[in-house]
Amino acid sequence: MSETEGTELYESLVYCKLCPRECHTNRLSGNLGYCKAGAGLEIASISVHKGEEPVISGQLGICNVFFSHCNLQCMYCQNYQISSNNCRFENRYFTMNEAVNNIIHILELGVENLGFVSPTHMIPQMKEIIRAVHKKNHKPIIVYNSNGYDSVEILKTLENCVDVYLPDFKYSDKELASKWSDAPDYPAIAERAITEMYRQKGSTLRLNENGIAENGLIIRHLVLPGEVNNSLGVLRTISEELSDRISISLMSQYHPIPKVAGIKSLNRRLFQTEYDQVVAEMDRLGFTKGWIQGFDSSGYYLPDFESENPFEESN
């Protein structure tokens, strides 16, 4: 690591404003901000995941680095075992060498891309991992898989680092964002963040000879039960403020987790009619690039992070 890179790492964590919450916490001193993540790697899992969009997974899957904790606290998060800031998940990788060696082992199986899941609060650590992998003469496609609650200024520092942006656009309804993700400003923040990603990548998703996305932007949206209007608002925002030529991944995979058992509105799966309404709006708005999910997908993508391979059954 160069002196400049070391300074960047130090300054980012000594007065943390990596995400829009801008806690200004000194993580290097052991203090914890909103996400309760320290200055270490905080990795919950490094594993192959084949449940992504076809151009992300390909035939062999993507090597995903799952960070612990999150700068959003979505009540229904399928990764709740590791994303909750109130639990202390036992991270499996404690040193840079261990993490890099695991990544390289997967890449040498023929996997072409390296994804970082929930990286917003761990940008310096993500950059260090990428630099270390490059030093080992591996140049995978870098996928930034975030919840969309990102800082524009931080995203600007990733322009020459990230190949494919894969953000969520969860909410157009700020009351819903406040109630279910503790972020009333999410719609405005996500729109600005994804606008920056769009500035960097445009609407063209470039594929390599193997059909794997090597550069571009894919926006994900999970349709929530009972909240069709929220989804319609997200699609309209993308169409009106960005472009109807952006690739959209419209997901029907919502599955209630134990945490929402007492919340009637969240404690059910999506209805086919709800998803069909959102798909129809996607077509009406002129989106022609992207993917919709089979309606039986809600049981396919539930990970178990207590397992060495959290997505073993779906793989």
Side-chain angles (χ1 to χ4, degrees), residues 240-281:
E240 294 167 7
E241 303 300 328
L242 296 172
S243 170
D244 60 9
R245 298 182 61 80
I246 291 175
S247 296
I248 305 293
S249 178
L250 189 66
M251 299 182 291
S252 62
Q253 69 188 51
Y254 178 85
H255 191 287
I257 62 171
K259 185 176 179 180
V260 302
I263 305 173
K264 185 177 180 180
S265 57
L266 288 176
N267 193 30
R268 70 165 174 89
R269 299 188 183 190
L270 191 66
F271 295 148
Q272 178 78 61
T273 53
E274 293 172 323
Y275 189 61
D276 288 348
Q277 287 180 66
V278 184
V279 172
E281 181 68 0

Side-chain angles (χ1 to χ4, degrees), residues 138-196:
H138 287 269
K139 302 285 184 177
I141 299 162
I142 302 300
V143 178
Y144 184 86
N145 182 349
S146 85
N147 55 37
Y149 198 60
D150 290 294
S151 160
V152 170
E153 292 306 310
I154 298 298
L155 290 172
K156 287 178 179 178
T157 72
L158 301 179
E159 187 162 3
N160 297 317
C161 177
V162 169
D163 299 304
V164 178
Y165 284 108
L166 186 62
D168 292 335
F169 198 154
K170 295 178 180 291
Y171 303 109
S172 60
D173 184 330
K174 63 182 182 181
E175 292 183 5
L176 207 60
S178 177
K179 181 170 65 172
W180 287 351
S181 295
D182 193 28
D185 57 353
Y186 180 93
I189 293 288
E191 182 182 338
R192 289 198 292 269
I194 294 173
T195 297
E196 170 60 21

Side-chain angles (χ1 to χ4, degrees), residues 19-79:
C19 89
R21 296 191 188 274
E22 295 193 354
C23 296
H24 297 162
T25 300
N26 185 346
R27 288 165 61 178
L28 286 180
S29 71
N31 294 331
L32 302 177
Y34 181 89
C35 69
K36 294 187 170 56
L41 289 183
E42 303 271 359
I43 295 173
S45 175
I46 296 175
S47 55
V48 176
H49 187 200
K50 296 181 181 178
E52 309 282 9
E53 291 70 19
V55 297
I56 297 294
S57 290
Q59 293 296 315
L60 298 177
I62 179 173
C63 175
N64 268 340
V65 177
F66 290 87
F67 289 114
S68 299
H69 310 287
C70 189
N71 68 325
L72 283 186
Q73 289 297 279
C74 302
M75 297 180 68
Y76 50 83
C77 180
Q78 67 178 15
N79 293 348

